[in-house]
Amino acid sequence: MNDDSSKQECQCECGSSKFSVQGKPLVRMFCHCTICQEFNNAAYSDVTIYLSKDVHIQDKEKISFNKYKSPPAVQRGKCATCNKPAIELLELPLFPALTIIPSENIPSGPRLPEPAAHIFYHRRVENVSDSLPKHSGFIKSQLAFIAKLVPGLFRRLVDA
Ligand SMILES: [Zn+2]
Ligand SMILES: [Zn+2]
């Protein structure tokens, strides 16, 4: 069963931090900002965004949340066991609560969409040679994020 009401189990690299997602993902992006680089210990993050109400975290105690200094306000959670990125919570003004999931924590299938774009590309530590749009600059990156997020949000809310 892969309809929108079915749940998909997700987990961190070691499997200690578990959560489930249901409903349509809003958007998937690559972010090259320096905070994503530090948090993921990688050149860029690969993240998929969900409505927080579509995400159920089994045991929040197993995830340690930290606020990194950055607009917008993101609470970034790492697995307390493997110390790898587990899940992130994003509060944007005028938006419903959003949850950011490192895409590698989502099994491939209908809950893991194709990536839409690269943002904060001016912060890249390496060039990426794919055909996706690449947005540089702080404001342009934020706008590109919102511009990709909003249609996903409408799809999710209209189909709900
Ligand atoms: Zn873990
Ligand atoms: Zn970022």
Side-chain angles (χ1 to χ4, degrees):
M1 285 260 294
N2 278 328
D3 65 271
D4 280 346
S5 59
S6 73
K7 280 189 182 173
Q8 173 83 63
E9 299 302 324
C10 302
Q11 61 180 45
C12 69
E13 192 177 291
C14 79
S16 169
S17 300
K18 291 187 197 306
F19 45 95
S20 59
V21 293
Q22 61 188 127
K24 280 194 170 68
L26 305 179
V27 68
R28 177 179 172 189
M29 292 232 175
F30 299 122
C31 183
H32 295 253
C33 83
T34 50
I35 293 163
C36 280
Q37 289 169 7
E38 185 192 329
F39 180 69
N40 292 276
N41 194 22
Y44 53 88
S45 66
D46 173 355
V47 290
T48 300
I49 321 289
Y50 274 86
L51 282 180
S52 290
K53 73 183 183 73
D54 288 340
V55 181
H56 176 72
I57 301 175
Q58 259 186 31
D59 192 351
K60 270 200 169 174
E61 309 276 283
K62 294 191 169 168
I63 303 173
S64 64
F65 285 97
N66 264 304
K67 264 196 178 158
Y68 288 63
K69 211 176 91 185
S70 90
V74 185
Q75 281 197 61
R76 299 183 185 243
K78 280 187 173 176
C79 169
T81 306
C82 67
N83 205 33
K84 292 284 166 58
I87 203 162
E88 301 165 59
L89 309 175
L90 173 62
E91 300 278 350
L92 288 177
L94 308 179
F95 278 82
L98 303 172
T99 295
I100 303 172
I101 303 175
S103 298
E104 64 179 2
N105 292 348
I106 306 172
S108 58
R111 298 289 176 263
L112 182 64
E114 289 299 314
H118 293 264
I119 57 172
F120 290 92
Y121 196 61
H122 57 297
R123 296 292 193 198
R124 69 189 178 279
V125 294
E126 58 190 42
N127 289 321
V128 179
S129 60
D130 60 25
S131 58
L132 294 173
K134 296 175 179 68
H135 303 282
S136 290
F138 183 83
I139 299 290
K140 280 186 182 167
S141 292
Q142 297 244 321
L143 288 176
F145 174 73
I146 299 293
K148 296 287 183 187
L149 178 68
V150 166
L153 202 52
F154 274 105
R155 261 197 319 273
R156 170 64 188 88
L157 295 176
V158 168
D159 293 348

